Amino acid sequence: ASPAVWSDHALRLLQHPSPRVRALALERLAAEPRAELDAAVRQLLQDSDLEVRAEAIHYLCGGTDAAPETPVGEFLRHPDYAVVAGAVRAISKYQWNGEGLIDQRFIERALHQEGSQREAARTAAAGALALVAPDSPLLSYLNPLVLDGALEVSRNAIRSCGKLQNRDGLPQLVSQIADSRLRHDVRQALIQYGDGIVATLDDYLH
């Protein structure tokens, strides 16, 4: 297809009612970014779906000559925590170097947000904890976030537990298996712990 036809097709995919389709379209487009799509992609920074926002940031950070860690800092400093959470998810998903981007001030500032920004800020913090050192005192914040009543907060805390193989979080992880919305995330997190937790899990489950 010609570039114009492909751009028209891509725009329709970016406006698709399914967030899964929107996210996959962005992931595909990131391999061949087109300047004429940048405005449409930037609009998706306000998408209701975290994965779509993360893929939009992945697309936008890949369209520069700099390493992605340089432009992603702009999104981590964004006043809208929904965008910040998307940036954190992109860093984690694509394994960008988060050194110097996530620190104690970032985590604690997010956790102290109230009002309309609270859930998105806690989602950002939950995901960002996966990027700190495994022995960081900041991980004391992680276990309560696993049990958070907001789905995306809990989901991202579960992912962080798995990535860090945080044994202190196992009781909270196991308790979330009962939630069908989180079951897949819990299973994926537990897989990351490896066989070494089998005996521990057996203790929790019996």
Side-chain angles (χ1 to χ4, degrees):
S2 70
V5 170
W6 167 234
S7 292
D8 287 344
H9 183 58
L11 280 172
R12 288 196 296 274
L13 290 174
L14 295 180
Q15 296 162 359
H16 196 278
S18 165
R20 176 69 175 153
V21 171
R22 297 195 299 275
L24 286 172
L26 285 163
E27 188 175 347
R28 166 65 181 83
L29 290 168
E32 299 178 43
R34 295 181 179 275
E36 63 268 25
L37 294 175
D38 284 2
V41 173
R42 282 197 167 270
Q43 287 184 343
L44 292 175
L45 294 174
Q46 305 302 319
D47 197 277
S48 61
D49 186 82
L50 177 64
E51 296 300 322
V52 173
R53 299 195 302 273
E55 291 298 343
I57 289 167
H58 173 237
Y59 174 99
L60 293 167
C61 289
T64 70
D65 293 331
E69 291 84 357
T70 301
V72 80
E74 167 199 342
F75 298 110
L76 288 173
R77 295 186 293 272
H78 199 281
D80 183 349
Y81 264 100
V83 176
V84 177
V88 169
R89 176 66 181 143
I91 292 169
S92 183
K93 180 176 181 179
Y94 289 100
Q95 299 182 331
W96 295 341
N97 182 6
E99 187 175 351
L101 297 175
I102 305 296
D103 56 16
Q104 181 173 349
R105 183 175 179 274
F106 177 94
I107 300 290
E108 293 184 344
R109 181 170 175 265
L111 291 175
H112 283 97
Q113 292 294 314
E114 294 294 343
S116 61
Q117 292 259 51
R118 185 176 187 272
E119 182 175 334
R122 291 172 75 79
T123 300
L129 286 168
L131 306 172
V132 305
D135 59 351
S136 171
L138 290 172
L139 292 182
S140 63
Y141 293 120
L142 184 55
N143 292 349
L145 292 172
V146 172
L147 301 176
D148 197 276
L151 182 65
E152 285 298 341
V153 177
S154 181
R155 175 173 286 137
N156 282 275
I158 288 166
R159 288 170 173 165
S160 292
C161 278
K163 186 169 183 179
L164 295 167
Q165 299 177 26
N166 178 34
R167 284 180 173 269
D168 290 343
L170 282 173
Q172 289 82 5
L173 274 183
V174 171
S175 72
Q176 293 293 57
I177 289 178
D179 188 332
S180 61
R181 301 170 303 167
L182 295 169
R183 196 167 294 144
H184 173 75
D185 300 285
V186 173
R187 286 172 175 162
Q188 292 300 115
L190 291 173
I191 288 169
Q192 291 180 275
Y193 283 80
D195 294 340
I197 63 161
V198 172
T200 305
L201 282 178
D202 191 58
D203 290 340
Y204 288 137
L205 295 170
H206 293 90

